[in-house]
Amino acid sequence: MIRGAAAPAEHRLVTPSAMVGRSEDATVTIAGDPLISRAHARVTFLGGRAQIEDMGSSHGTFVNGRRIAGPTPLRPGDVIIMGETTLRYEGSSL
């Protein structure tokens, strides 16, 4: 995490699919940001490549400043914004 309401942390992505949201059941839980949905976005790995998809959140998911409308490929260094939280994808972590 680059910045947000929660303390900066690295979230290792070790499963084929990772849910990101406010829910304690999310793979990556982001607490303290009221603009993030309980199940905000999902990161999946297909054929060695990562992609992110917004799960119908109210405030959207942005990759490198652009709101995504469907599954969007992720590359190391991509900046993801959800609510007031900014994350950076680093290949195997957020």
Side-chain angles (χ1 to χ4, degrees):
M1 180 181 313
I2 298 172
R3 67 175 170 261
E10 180 176 334
H11 303 279
R12 302 283 308 159
L13 302 174
V14 295
T15 60
S17 179
M19 183 62 65
V20 182
R22 280 187 300 118
S23 172
E24 291 181 15
D25 295 329
T27 311
V28 177
T29 301
I30 300 175
D33 185 339
L35 301 180
I36 291 183
S37 300
R38 291 173 35 82
H40 196 99
R42 178 175 39 227
V43 177
T44 55
F45 296 92
L46 302 168
R49 296 182 182 191
Q51 65 181 20
I52 188 167
E53 181 176 8
D54 187 84
M55 301 306 295
S57 68
S58 298
H59 299 285
T61 300
F62 298 78
V63 175
N64 298 327
R66 295 176 54 199
R67 187 176 187 143
I68 63 172
T72 302
L74 286 173
R75 292 171 189 79
D78 281 350
V79 174
I80 303 161
I81 298 175
M82 292 182 275
E84 297 175 344
T85 300
T86 302
L87 306 164
R88 180 179 302 129
Y89 176 68
E90 294 296 345
S92 64
S93 63
L94 289 175

